[in-house]
Amino acid sequence: MKPAEEYILKQPEPFKSILLHLQVLIESNCTDIELKYKWKIPVYYVNGHQLCYLNASHKKGFVDVGFWAKGILQDFDAFLVSEGRTVVKSLRYTFVEDINEEIFLQVVKEVTNHNHKGFWKK
């Protein structure tokens, strides 16, 4: 088993269910997607560029889906958390039911459309 998949499957509930649901959404809606293990967490790549990371934050009680998205996700600011980070913005989920699939997939699509430019550029 690959380390990224092992990370997801070894999580306690509700983290495991959230991560599995996000994995299905990403992998069924993106082409040329690859799941890798970097920084001890799962990271998705599209066409060789980072798309997002999945981090189960046990201490804070949520799954953090981080996007390298400086300057491209303003339309989704109501849903995203930046907490002083200048490049990374994230969607956070405490329960599977919290996932708004439409918003999630719109954010994924927007980042995918721009990720060839590098996360530091608009």
Side-chain angles (χ1 to χ4, degrees):
M1 185 180 315
K2 294 180 179 180
E5 294 166 346
E6 187 175 348
Y7 173 94
I8 292 169
L9 294 175
K10 286 192 171 185
Q11 295 299 317
E13 291 297 342
F15 304 106
K16 181 164 101 174
S17 293
I18 295 168
L19 291 166
L20 286 170
H21 189 74
L22 294 169
Q23 183 180 21
V24 168
L25 286 174
I26 293 169
E27 293 180 9
S28 63
N29 287 281
C30 295
T31 57
D32 298 319
I33 193 85
E34 185 177 9
L35 180 60
K36 296 184 179 182
Y37 192 68
K38 189 172 183 177
W39 307 298
K40 298 183 181 181
I41 57 174
V43 179
Y44 273 103
Y45 287 77
V46 175
N47 298 317
H49 298 279
Q50 295 169 344
L51 170 67
C52 65
Y53 65 78
L54 306 176
N55 182 33
S57 179
H58 296 197
K59 289 182 183 178
K60 296 182 180 179
F62 57 75
V63 170
D64 191 55
V65 184
F67 298 92
W68 292 270
K70 182 178 181 181
I72 63 169
L73 292 175
Q74 295 87 341
D75 293 345
F76 303 98
D77 279 346
F79 307 100
L80 294 163
V81 177
S82 61
E83 290 186 340
R85 300 175 291 188
T86 58
V87 175
V88 175
K89 293 185 178 185
S90 59
L91 294 168
R92 293 185 173 164
Y93 304 109
T94 306
F95 302 101
V96 173
E97 298 79 20
D98 295 341
I99 300 170
N100 181 327
E101 293 181 8
E102 183 179 347
I103 296 296
F104 179 77
L105 292 174
Q106 287 175 2
V107 170
V108 167
K109 182 179 179 183
E110 187 69 19
V111 174
T112 301
N113 289 339
H114 288 89
N115 78 348
H116 64 283
K117 299 176 184 177
F119 65 82
W120 57 88
K121 299 176 185 175
K122 286 186 179 183

